[in-house]
Amino acid sequence: MILILAESTDHWAMLVNKEAQHNGGDVFWIQPAQLVDRILLNWPVGTGASVVPGTVVIDGHTCFLADLTGIFAQLSLPPPLVLEELSLEDRDYVIKETSAAWLAFLNAMPCLVVNRPVPGGRPTTLTGSPLLSQLVEEHGFLLPLSHCTSSLADAMMQFSAWGERVYLKPLGSHETGIFLHAHDGVEQICRVMERQAVSMQAIPHGQRVTVYVVGEEIVATVLQPSEGVPQRMEMPLVPAERCLDLVGELGLTFAECQFIVTPEGPIYCLDVSSAPVFGYCPQEVQQQIVCRLVEYLSKMRSLSR
């Protein structure tokens, strides 16, 4: 049985749900705003004959946790619960308790959880933490120059200083950032910074490579159009083992990695995103990813990240 926790507009969840149903497996889809109304949790904290087996009750239908093979968790905590009938204090209490319960549940499950949330939230920028920066370097990748700012004027100056070649990502966003160049950079920076501060990284000269990871496997490697590269390389060497180890060390089982392979050989890692952007992914690659996700979520296992 597969449990999907995602918004109704989530394209990855739509395709995972469709593929799982096509394969004849049991799949349940709960939207984050429905976590209180549609599902009840009951999981044991020990084992033995005297322990009641864990269950989830979905729309009145009881499912044993032993039958749960995977959870596709495309949600953020706290969830967007609709609690208009409650007072502000009661609403705050319910949201906090629901978040705590689901955080505990998703980390207690021995089945695969993609991607398992962590207390305090997951870091979103590799250069924003000395520990993450060290981790990237320990796996043999370089990090580009970076700059974080909430000032539009400052961002414009940095964009110009780096030759109008910047990888831009809103701080706090789990999605992949965007590559900016002279023709669209100013407009995109203004649009993004209307809402939040950003992380900016200088884009080294070289071949852009996007790597999609599911579980312990690189599902696809996509060469992107790269400014200053006269022709696309046949297949830039992004060491698979180092890439997979880095994704695993970050606690991810579904990720989109952005690399720049320079002509001189060194490889820069710009981003490892826990929320691959569906619209940026080539259509033929989308189906490969979804098939691998469903296969991975359908396997019985006793331990998982």
Side-chain angles (χ1 to χ4, degrees):
M1 184 183 82
I2 295 174
L3 176 61
I4 297 174
L5 303 173
E7 298 288 356
S8 61
T9 55
D10 188 296
H11 291 285
W12 290 118
M14 291 180 193
L15 292 180
V16 167
N17 180 56
K18 181 179 179 180
E19 182 70 17
Q21 289 184 339
H22 176 75
N23 292 347
D26 292 327
V27 55
F28 293 91
W29 186 343
I30 306 294
Q31 297 176 41
Q34 302 170 334
L35 292 181
V36 171
D37 298 329
R38 291 189 56 200
I39 186 167
L40 300 175
L41 305 176
N42 166 41
W43 74 95
V45 293
T47 58
S50 61
V51 177
V52 176
T55 60
V56 290
V57 182
I58 303 173
D59 298 331
H61 178 74
T62 300
C63 306
F64 287 100
L65 293 180
D67 297 328
L68 184 61
T69 59
I71 302 174
F72 191 54
Q74 296 286 89
L75 83 168
S76 59
L77 298 173
L81 302 178
V82 179
L83 304 168
E84 296 177 353
E85 71 282 2
L86 299 182
S87 67
L88 185 61
E89 292 78 9
D90 287 345
R91 194 180 312 166
D92 185 57
Y93 174 79
V94 170
I95 290 175
K96 287 181 178 179
E97 288 298 307
T98 302
S99 299
W102 275 95
L103 184 62
F105 175 77
L106 292 173
N107 278 277
M109 292 301 97
C111 69
L112 176 75
V113 179
V114 178
N115 283 308
R116 199 184 298 269
V118 296
R122 192 180 299 280
T124 58
T125 57
L126 298 176
T127 55
S129 161
L131 292 177
L132 291 185
S133 297
Q134 181 181 352
L135 188 64
V136 172
E137 293 169 356
E138 287 175 352
H139 285 79
F141 301 113
L142 300 180
L143 287 167
L145 297 172
S146 66
H147 184 76
C148 296
T149 182
S150 60
S151 166
L152 179 59
D154 187 48
M156 292 300 183
M157 289 178 60
Q158 192 63 74
F159 180 59
S160 177
W162 282 339
E164 299 181 322
R165 290 169 45 85
V166 163
Y167 181 76
L168 184 78
K169 184 171 182 176
L171 291 179
S173 172
H174 293 280
E175 293 188 346
T176 309
I178 51 178
F179 288 83
L180 304 183
H181 300 283
H183 69 278
D184 64 351
V186 171
E187 178 183 350
Q188 293 279 23
I189 292 172
C190 290
R191 178 184 62 81
V192 173
M193 296 195 70
E194 285 182 354
R195 300 186 298 275
Q196 57 201 124
V198 296
S199 164
M200 306 175 71
Q201 295 182 77
I203 302 176
H205 288 279
Q207 174 66 59
R208 277 179 54 195
V209 182
T210 302
V211 176
Y212 293 94
V213 173
V214 175
E216 299 172 354
E217 177 184 330
I218 292 179
V219 178
T221 299
V222 180
L223 306 188
Q224 308 286 1
S226 304
E227 195 174 276
V229 178
Q231 59 182 18
R232 288 155 62 106
M233 304 177 187
E234 287 298 320
M235 181 53 68
L237 296 176
V238 176
E241 185 175 351
R242 280 160 42 192
C243 178
L244 291 172
D245 285 347
L246 175 59
V247 171
E249 288 286 344
L250 293 172
L252 301 176
T253 49
F254 179 34
E256 176 181 342
C257 310
Q258 298 293 341
F259 296 103
I260 300 288
V261 181
T262 64
E264 298 78 19
I267 302 173
Y268 286 84
C269 181
L270 277 66
D271 198 5
V272 179
S273 170
S274 61
V277 178
F278 183 85
Y280 294 169
C281 183
Q283 188 171 1
E284 64 276 11
V285 174
Q286 293 171 5
Q287 190 58 39
Q288 296 177 43
I289 292 172
V290 169
C291 289
R292 181 60 183 131
L293 278 170
V294 172
E295 178 185 354
Y296 202 51
L297 287 163
S298 301
K299 287 184 178 179
M300 294 294 297
R301 52 175 57 76
S302 59
L303 292 174
S304 173
R305 289 193 188 99

